[in-house]
Structure formats: structure tokens, C-alpha cells
Amino acid sequence: MSDEAAVAAGQAVIVFDGTCVLCNGWVDFLLRHDRRQRYRFAAMQGRAGRALLARHGLDPDDPASFLLLEQARAWTDTDAISRVLGGLGGAWMLARLIVLVPRSARDALYRWLARNRYRWFGTTACRVPDDSERARFLD
């Protein structure tokens, strides 16, 4: 399914930095905990990820934002993280309480982490999904 078809079909799509060790760990976490398989993934280094970032006004060559496309809307940074964790259900719904912290403060913290993630966590080759995960990735 193409990126446009996945979004049009109402599937939630997460665009992530495929070369970031922290970001790949986040995807691994979601693959383990997303029992309903509601999230699909696109590395921002791939064709679909780059196109989705550009379509939503984010620079594909400056991977500082996290993007969630859900219910015909685009969410970024801590709003996106809160929605993703809340979408897992159960106790993860408590993550939505982060909205009680002013967005300027939480997004500043997120951007600080994003700017330093390569130095603190390292980089790797772009994630290649195994056969059991392949359908969850756009390209």
C-alpha cells in the first residue's frame, strides 16, 4: 500500500528517523506493544517518509521532528508522542496527561533531545524490517 493509500485508508502512520538508534528503539517498542497493529511506519530517509514530511511542511533533510498522521491530521513532537502512546490503550493512556505541561516547555525538551540524539545514542544503518514486520512499513 502506498503512503497516500495508507493515510487515505485511515491508518495511523509514524514517520521516524531510520538512522537514529533511539528512534529505531522507539519503533521496536511500538512493534512490541501495538497489539492492535494500528501504526504503520515510514523512515524519513525513504521515499514515503520524505514525501510525507514535505507534504506536512517538515524538512526531510533536517530530521528534528517526529510526525504522526492519524485521522486526517498531522501531529508532531510531544503531541504526536502523547497520541501514539495513548493509542496503545491500557495504562499507556496516562501518557496523554503530558498535555498538562505547556507545549512550549515539553517541545523545547523534545527538540533538545532531538538535537543531541545522534551524539548520545548513535546512528545505525536504516532499519530493515524482518518478514513479520514488513507489512507495517510503507517502504
Side-chain angles (χ1 to χ4, degrees):
M1 180 179 292
S2 73
D3 59 319
E4 291 176 26
V7 174
Q11 294 181 325
V13 176
I14 295 169
V15 181
F16 71 101
D17 183 350
T19 63
C20 168
V21 171
L22 177 64
C23 304
N24 278 288
W26 169 243
V27 170
D28 289 341
F29 169 85
L30 291 172
L31 287 168
R32 278 192 315 274
H33 291 89
D34 181 18
R35 289 181 174 81
R36 294 178 287 162
Q37 297 189 2
R38 64 179 298 198
Y39 298 116
R40 299 204 52 212
F41 305 93
M44 60 181 52
Q45 291 80 7
R47 180 198 54 76
R50 288 184 66 79
L52 290 169
L53 287 173
R55 191 173 305 132
H56 293 281
L58 298 169
D59 182 357
D61 295 317
D62 182 22
S65 284
F66 173 77
L67 177 65
L68 167 67
L69 302 170
E70 180 182 46
Q71 300 173 350
R73 290 195 57 194
W75 307 88
T76 60
D77 303 338
T78 58
D79 285 338
I81 292 168
S82 171
R83 289 191 65 82
V84 167
L85 288 172
L88 296 176
W92 296 110
M93 294 288 291
L94 293 173
R96 296 229 170 138
L97 293 175
I98 195 173
V99 299
L100 298 175
V101 176
R103 181 181 291 144
S104 59
R106 55 188 157 96
D107 281 350
L109 181 62
Y110 171 85
R111 294 208 183 275
W112 175 70
L113 176 65
R115 278 191 312 273
N116 292 289
R117 71 188 184 281
Y118 293 152
R119 183 176 33 192
W120 295 342
F121 300 98
T123 59
T124 186
C126 230
R127 186 182 204 294
V128 177
D130 65 28
D131 289 340
S132 68
E133 302 166 339
R134 196 166 322 278
R136 308 252 334 252
F137 288 78
L138 296 185
D139 60 11

